Amino acid sequence: MGRWEPDARGRLLHAALDLFADQGYEATTAAQIAAHAGLTKTTLFRHFADKREILFQGQPALVSVVASGVASAPEEATATELLRAGVRALCEWHVPEQQEIGRRIRPLVDLSPELQERTAFKRSVLAAALVEALHERRVERRAAAALSDVGIRAYYDGFAAWTDARRDEPLWDVVSEELIAIEVALRSALGAPQRLGQDAATR
Amino acid sequence: MGRWEPDARGRLLHAALDLFADQGYEATTAAQIAAHAGLTKTTLFRHFADKREILFQGQPALVSVVASGVASAPEEATATELLRAGVRALCEWHVPEQQEIGRRIRPLVDLSPELQERTAFKRSVLAAALVEALHERRVERRAAAALSDVGIRAYYDGFAAWTDARRDEPLWDVVSEELIAIEVALRSALGAPQRLGQDAATR
DNA sequence: GTCTATACAATGATAGAC
DNA sequence: GTCTATCATTGTATAGAC
């Protein structure tokens, strides 16, 4: 044991979640968060580049997770199989504790444009990493880009559904279903043109 | 004529572009920009919510542009036709002058995480608006979401190609080609599974 | 190697005068 | 619509403490 309480980052995260829930994101100052974690503002900014990053800690790792997920797929994998491998790796990186954290973060993001901005940025960085990974496995550029959008959407929408669900279903189960559903919907929308407003299932 | 030079927003934009090109985005203060436009910092922030927004002025309009583009498509339009109508409306909203402005903004964004963040946010807001518009035209939720991603990607990538090109081709021509190319690539990737690493065109 | 104290520049908000 | 002035907060930089 060192001279300081351990896990400064974790304490800052929980202090932030508590204070944000009480006062809202904007009304809470960095100094307040630091104080609640038994630290000073200076130390907070030694651990996190900015106030928002407290809530997104760990996410930088996702870029390499998705990359190695795709890279380690079987040699003979098709483009959609490579996509599944990448998205699956993302899902398996998450530990059950993040279900609870995600549940607490969501309403904060919904109320704060600043947090929405950071979310959108992280998503775009992750999507770009997935495009690169697919392209390196010889998926053509445009296909890689479009498939990446599909996979990232399944991941985010699936993650939201997962944090909402009380059951402790694995994240990948939820996202995998979402991914398949999107692929089906897209194939049908892009395929033989169908008139809308009719129930396609009845034909 | 009033007491002030007209078009404060336009003057601020060009002052910002000049100073950013010289000193970089971060090294340029809001006060400097305001001074170069013959204004004060206070007035700058009356016109723009923050420093970044100087470069993105006008873009809030795109949300309603894409919505009415989709809404005013023919009754019998298919999902992909609705998508094209929305993206086309976006393209036709842009005036040729924005080709030059886009050319000057891009390198700034490439160097500034802060601007990348704002870009990603605008993109996500636009994509969400497109999803809503498609859904209101009875495109199923997941198909609307995935098609929106395709359309927004075509729009952004096409816009980048358009600003790079010296020719004065209409933006929609560039984006339309991109959109079709993505649809083709995606249909092929999602369709009959194909092994990679072979040239599909030679079969 | 992590924490703290202090000082500092810049953003962005606010109140009141012209 | 613009200006002056003041202000809290973010985030940085530096120096040193344990």
Side-chain angles (χ1 to χ4, degrees):
Chain A
M1 276 283 273
R3 277 156 294 180
W4 309 282
E5 296 300 318
D7 192 24
R9 286 180 167 81
R11 266 159 41 227
L12 286 165
L13 170 61
H14 287 287
L17 284 173
D18 290 345
L19 289 166
F20 291 165
D22 263 24
Q23 316 174 340
Y25 171 80
E26 296 201 346
T28 305
T29 69
Q32 283 179 308
I33 299 168
H36 271 246
L39 297 169
T40 62
K41 195 189 66 155
T42 309
T43 309
L44 187 160
F45 285 116
R46 279 184 49 78
H47 284 284
F48 300 106
D50 56 50
K51 199 174 124 185
R52 291 174 270 181
E53 205 59 19
I54 302 171
L55 296 178
F56 292 91
Q57 56 183 291
Q59 292 215 14
L62 289 174
V63 165
S64 35
V65 167
V66 76
S68 52
V70 172
S72 61
E75 177 68 29
E76 70 280 8
T78 62
T80 53
E81 287 164 357
L82 290 168
L83 178 67
R84 283 181 71 80
V87 174
R88 178 170 191 159
L90 286 180
C91 293
E92 288 173 348
W93 176 84
H94 288 280
V95 294
E97 187 203 357
Q98 284 161 329
Q99 196 170 15
E100 164 71 8
I101 293 174
R103 228 189 329 261
R104 301 185 66 182
I105 290 180
R106 184 113 46 87
L108 301 174
V109 173
D110 288 343
L111 287 174
S112 160
E114 220 173 314
L115 292 176
Q116 289 162 28
E117 213 161 323
R118 179 57 53 89
T119 302
F121 180 58
K122 297 274 183 189
R123 180 171 173 153
S124 79
V125 169
L126 197 54
L130 182 49
V131 172
E132 279 318 299
L134 291 172
H135 190 60
E136 270 177 31
R137 289 297 301 266
R138 306 215 266 175
V139 179
E140 180 267 332
R141 272 243 166 261
R142 284 192 179 88
L147 286 175
S148 163
D149 288 341
V150 168
I152 296 297
R153 185 171 283 278
Y155 168 65
Y156 273 84
D157 289 357
F159 189 89
W162 181 64
T163 55
D164 282 343
R166 290 286 153 184
R167 298 165 300 154
D168 56 346
E169 202 176 1
L171 173 57
W172 168 239
D173 286 6
V174 183
V175 169
S176 173
E177 260 188 58
E178 185 66 29
L179 184 54
I180 290 168
I182 295 176
E183 283 173 357
V184 168
L186 198 49
R187 202 162 8 222
S188 138
L190 287 176
Q194 295 171 12
R195 297 294 131 185
L196 295 170
Q198 306 170 20
D199 185 356
T202 64
R203 297 195 203 169
Chain B
M1 276 281 275
R3 275 162 295 180
W4 310 282
E5 297 299 319
D7 192 25
R9 284 179 169 80
R11 269 165 32 233
L12 285 164
L13 171 60
H14 287 287
L17 284 173
D18 290 345
L19 289 166
F20 291 164
D22 264 25
Q23 314 173 345
Y25 171 80
E26 296 201 346
T28 305
T29 70
Q32 284 180 307
I33 299 168
H36 271 248
L39 297 169
T40 62
K41 196 187 64 155
T42 310
T43 309
L44 187 160
F45 285 117
R46 275 187 50 78
H47 285 282
F48 300 105
D50 56 49
K51 199 172 123 186
R52 291 175 270 182
E53 204 59 19
I54 302 171
L55 296 178
F56 292 91
Q57 57 182 289
Q59 292 215 15
L62 288 175
V63 166
S64 36
V65 167
V66 76
S68 52
V70 172
S72 63
E75 176 68 29
E76 71 278 8
T78 62
T80 52
E81 286 164 357
L82 289 169
L83 178 67
R84 282 182 73 80
V87 174
R88 179 170 191 161
L90 285 180
C91 293
E92 287 170 350
W93 176 84
H94 288 280
V95 294
E97 188 203 357
Q98 284 160 330
Q99 194 171 16
E100 164 71 8
I101 293 173
R103 229 191 324 264
R104 299 185 66 184
I105 289 179
R106 184 114 47 85
L108 301 174
V109 174
D110 288 343
L111 288 174
S112 160
E114 221 174 314
L115 292 176
Q116 288 162 28
E117 213 160 327
R118 179 56 54 88
T119 303
F121 180 58
K122 297 275 183 188
R123 180 170 173 154
S124 78
V125 168
L126 197 54
L130 183 47
V131 172
E132 280 317 299
L134 291 172
H135 190 58
E136 271 177 32
R137 289 297 303 267
R138 305 216 265 174
V139 179
E140 180 269 330
R141 272 243 164 261
R142 286 194 179 87
L147 286 175
S148 163
D149 288 341
V150 168
I152 295 298
R153 185 171 282 278
Y155 168 64
Y156 273 84
D157 290 356
F159 189 89
W162 181 63
T163 56
D164 283 342
R166 291 285 152 185
R167 300 165 299 154
D168 54 347
E169 201 176 1
L171 173 56
W172 169 239
D173 287 7
V174 183
V175 170
S176 172
E177 261 188 58
E178 185 66 29
L179 185 53
I180 290 168
I182 295 176
E183 284 172 357
V184 168
L186 199 47
R187 203 161 7 221
S188 137
L190 287 177
Q194 295 172 10
R195 296 294 131 185
L196 296 170
Q198 306 172 23
D199 185 355
T202 62
R203 298 196 204 170

